[in-house]
Amino acid sequence: MNWELISSYEYLIDVGIAIGIFLLFLLFRKIFTKYVFSFLLKLSRKTRSNFLPNIFLAFDKPFQWFFIIIGLYLSVKYYPYLNHLNPLFIKIIKAAIIYIISWGFFNLASTSSMIFRSINEKTNIKIDEILIPFLSRAIQFIIIAISVTVILQVFDYEIGALITGLGIGGLAISLAAQDALKNLFGGIVIITEKPFTIGEWVKTPSVEGTVEDISFRSTKVRTFAQALVTVPNATLVNEPITNWSKMGKRQITFNLSLTYDTPKEKIELVVQSIRELLKNHPEIHQETIFVTVDEYDEYGLDILLYFFTKTTEWGKYLEVREEINLKILGIVEQAGAEIAIPAQKLYSDAPNEDILKRVRGEAE
């Protein structure tokens, strides 16, 4: 009997079974993702809370890898030529499981912004909008720190030695990370002073647009041309910041110039009509309205208009301003007045015939 041939067959059978076990768990992974997970996700979405769907979505990919790790472990356990009790192999499996669990919680923390907003809506605990992305990233950082610490302990690495090493290299790290620290402190200043928050329209010497995200390092602003500009926090806190979203009203001011030959009665009529227009307009803020004859300009008599719109939205503001300007033009026309334009008039005491003769002589 050829024992070597039998041994080779047994070896191939063992290899085939081990590979089959691994492939079977890959199949389980696909079945779970396609049927079981989809069913559980649909079921969770029928609840009033978004918490369960967030958990399922966060642990979707990690759980798929969990099938792969279990399949790998059982394949090695069945295969007689490999020792599944090898300390290094056990440590790798444990580290992989810890990584998968941390991965799921990390994904869940990335959706924690939605969780914080739900807390704002359903409880008396009010979390400022500007703090939500910072809290989310802080939770992610804590999860990473804990998972790294646990994995190092699995591999019998002394955490104390790591901390000591960090202490020795702390000076070099701090020198290399000066800009990062400046941006971090800049982010802390933005949180504490709250010059703006997410969704507000701001303008600085560097950028103008809507704030989309605030992180430890930088702030992302979406411009009106739909470009996304990332500004370091250290730069942002050292610049003057205009927060247009904090406006309660928006200013309109200009001068309307009427010709000097406009009678006084018509000027008074124009001023009074414009004043009544502004006081009766639903989009004009009634607290401050000034329509007064202001000064004698070079080309005409100036009427000062100074008032505010209730809206601060740029598009709506332009619509109100256009409507007011057109109605003022109608008031001037109805009163029989004329708007002054830059022009020059020549006055002469000589008869018209003499002037024509002089002009013709100069032309000849």
Side-chain angles (χ1 to χ4, degrees), residues 72-94:
L72 178 63
Y73 175 78
L74 293 179
S75 299
V76 172
K77 183 178 181 180
Y78 178 82
Y79 191 64
Y81 301 99
L82 290 176
N83 183 13
H84 69 283
L85 297 177
N86 182 281
L88 179 60
F89 179 71
I90 296 296
K91 290 176 182 178
I92 292 174
I93 295 296
K94 288 182 179 179

Side-chain angles (χ1 to χ4, degrees), residues 245-288:
S245 297
K246 297 293 186 182
M247 291 188 301
K249 52 188 178 180
R250 194 176 185 92
Q251 175 184 308
I252 297 178
T253 180
F254 61 92
N255 287 326
L256 176 66
S257 185
L258 300 180
T259 57
Y260 279 117
D261 56 3
T262 305
K264 175 186 174 184
E265 294 78 12
K266 292 185 177 181
I267 294 176
E268 291 177 345
L269 177 61
V270 169
V271 171
Q272 185 61 30
S273 299
I274 295 175
R275 192 176 293 144
E276 290 178 1
L277 167 66
L278 298 178
K279 288 184 177 180
N280 295 319
H281 198 287
E283 294 296 331
I284 300 301
H285 203 285
Q286 298 299 308
E287 183 178 345
T288 305

Side-chain angles (χ1 to χ4, degrees), residues 40-50 52-53 57:
L40 292 175
L41 185 59
K42 290 180 181 178
L43 195 64
S44 65
R45 282 175 174 168
K46 293 181 180 179
T47 60
R48 295 181 179 179
S49 175
N50 292 325
L52 282 178
L57 291 173

